[in-house]
Amino acid sequence: MDHVLNIADHYIFTPYVYPTWWPEDEALRQIISLWVVTSLGAELIYLGFGALSFYYVFDHKLMKHPQFIKNQVRKEIQLGIVSIFWMSFPTIALFFCEVRGYSKLYDKISWQEVFQSIAGFLFFTDMCIYWIHRCMHHKSVYKHLHKQHHIFKIPTPFASHAFHPLDGFLQSLPYHIYPFIFPLHKVVYLSLFVFVNIWTISIHDGDYRIPGPLIYLINGAAHHVDHHLHFNYNYGQYFTLWDRLGGSYRHPSALLGKGPHDHVRKLLAEAAQMK
């Protein structure tokens, strides 16, 4: 985050926001700046890409599904905005440690290391999120944290960040602790931070199409909607690997002709016959 902070300082904070006597590397100033950049950036990614997905990808016929609740989109957005606001506080503590040089983030580019670190990042975070997510479904935890997200049985892209703040932060934690354990290029880390937010939106977008053989590898929206509907399946973030190893894999109902779209089409056909 130091690159983002330097750009924000150069173009916005130093000339227009902070008094000239306040050093850019002073701890309190960095914490305030990181909170502004993190919370504003995350909200913009959520609302911006969420809106694009909702209007150009999400099938609005799904809103006719009987499990699509009243005023659902408004409730998703309200919960998502509030969650991101509160999640930003513990997140900036980790970003602050990165800016202060406590992580293994580096600047020198090596394409071989970049590709290896991306693969390592995806594998590590997918593994960790699987187990964190699965723990969130334990009966002693679920009702206090994760249940807020599962009220949306037929999610829209705006459900992507509609979590209890602690739930959301715990599931994001693997992204942030990775560069404290393994080397990672700074720009790659920022790119992956944006990517994981967009990916989270995409698995809630109602587009259940997955190219051919990737059905068995990628945990897409078709897999994830079954998680919302059937609760104890498809906990993974990107891949199906850990669901298969953990015995929680379920082949997507939408690809078997038994998904939400099929249910809506059946209801619409029945309504047409009654007219």
Side-chain angles (χ1 to χ4, degrees):
M1 285 295 288
D2 57 338
H3 290 327
V4 175
L5 199 57
N6 290 336
I7 292 170
D9 276 333
H10 182 76
Y11 289 103
I12 301 172
F13 293 139
T14 297
Y16 302 112
V17 178
Y18 295 120
T20 55
W21 51 262
W22 203 354
E24 290 183 355
D25 60 353
E26 198 275 327
L28 179 58
R29 170 171 166 164
Q30 286 184 330
I31 290 170
I32 294 171
S33 299
L34 282 169
W35 180 77
V36 171
V37 169
T38 301
S39 56
L40 184 60
E43 297 283 12
L44 288 174
I45 290 172
Y46 167 61
L47 293 172
F49 284 99
L52 287 172
S53 182
F54 180 75
Y55 287 109
Y56 295 105
V57 179
F58 180 73
D59 187 345
H60 288 67
K61 291 188 180 73
L62 288 172
M63 298 170 75
K64 299 181 184 296
H65 194 283
Q67 289 183 281
F68 195 90
I69 64 177
K70 184 179 180 180
N71 299 321
Q72 178 172 314
V73 174
R74 178 172 59 82
K75 291 175 180 177
E76 289 172 339
I77 293 173
Q78 287 176 340
L79 183 56
I81 289 173
V82 171
S83 179
I84 290 171
F85 174 81
W86 289 111
M87 284 169 57
S88 66
F89 289 100
T91 301
I92 62 166
L94 295 165
F95 283 156
F96 180 69
C97 290
E98 293 168 12
V99 169
R100 288 288 174 162
Y102 295 110
S103 73
K104 295 187 177 183
L105 292 168
Y106 61 88
D107 282 305
K108 188 177 179 181
I109 192 75
S110 166
W111 290 111
Q112 181 179 353
E113 290 181 2
V114 165
F115 289 120
Q116 289 174 346
S117 62
I118 291 174
F121 177 91
L122 294 176
F123 178 82
F124 176 83
T125 54
D126 191 55
M127 174 187 67
C128 292
I129 291 168
Y130 172 84
W131 290 109
I132 293 170
H133 191 179
R134 188 159 185 168
C135 287
M136 287 293 169
H137 280 254
H138 191 277
K139 61 182 180 180
S140 63
V141 178
Y142 176 79
K143 63 182 178 180
H144 301 293
L145 295 178
H146 199 53
K147 187 176 181 179
Q148 288 190 27
H149 185 63
H150 270 272
I151 64 172
F152 309 116
K153 301 295 184 184
I154 306 295
T156 80
F158 292 115
S160 58
H161 293 64
F163 288 95
H164 184 288
L166 181 57
D167 179 9
F169 174 71
L170 289 174
Q171 292 201 56
S172 72
L173 196 55
Y175 308 133
H176 301 301
I177 65 172
Y178 182 89
F180 289 94
I181 304 173
F182 305 103
L184 186 63
H185 192 271
K186 291 180 179 179
V187 175
V188 173
Y189 177 59
L190 289 171
S191 301
L192 287 170
F193 179 74
V194 175
F195 164 77
V196 297
N197 278 278
I198 296 174
W199 181 267
T200 303
I201 291 169
S202 75
I203 62 174
H204 294 85
D205 67 11
D207 186 345
Y208 305 142
R209 296 171 297 175
I210 304 175
L214 293 181
I215 292 169
Y216 302 99
L217 175 66
I218 301 297
N219 184 73
H223 299 76
H224 195 69
V225 75
D226 271 7
H227 173 73
H228 277 257
L229 287 168
H230 303 291
F231 192 74
N232 290 322
Y233 303 95
N234 300 348
Y235 297 103
Q237 182 74 352
Y238 317 116
F239 308 114
T240 62
L241 172 64
W242 290 100
D243 280 299
R244 293 179 185 280
L245 293 176
S248 55
Y249 177 76
R250 179 188 175 101
H251 195 71
S253 301
L255 305 181
L256 298 172
K258 301 176 182 178
H261 283 109
D262 303 290
H263 190 77
V264 170
R265 280 193 289 269
K266 182 180 178 181
L267 290 176
L268 291 176
E270 290 174 352
Q273 289 177 355
M274 292 176 63
K275 288 183 179 180

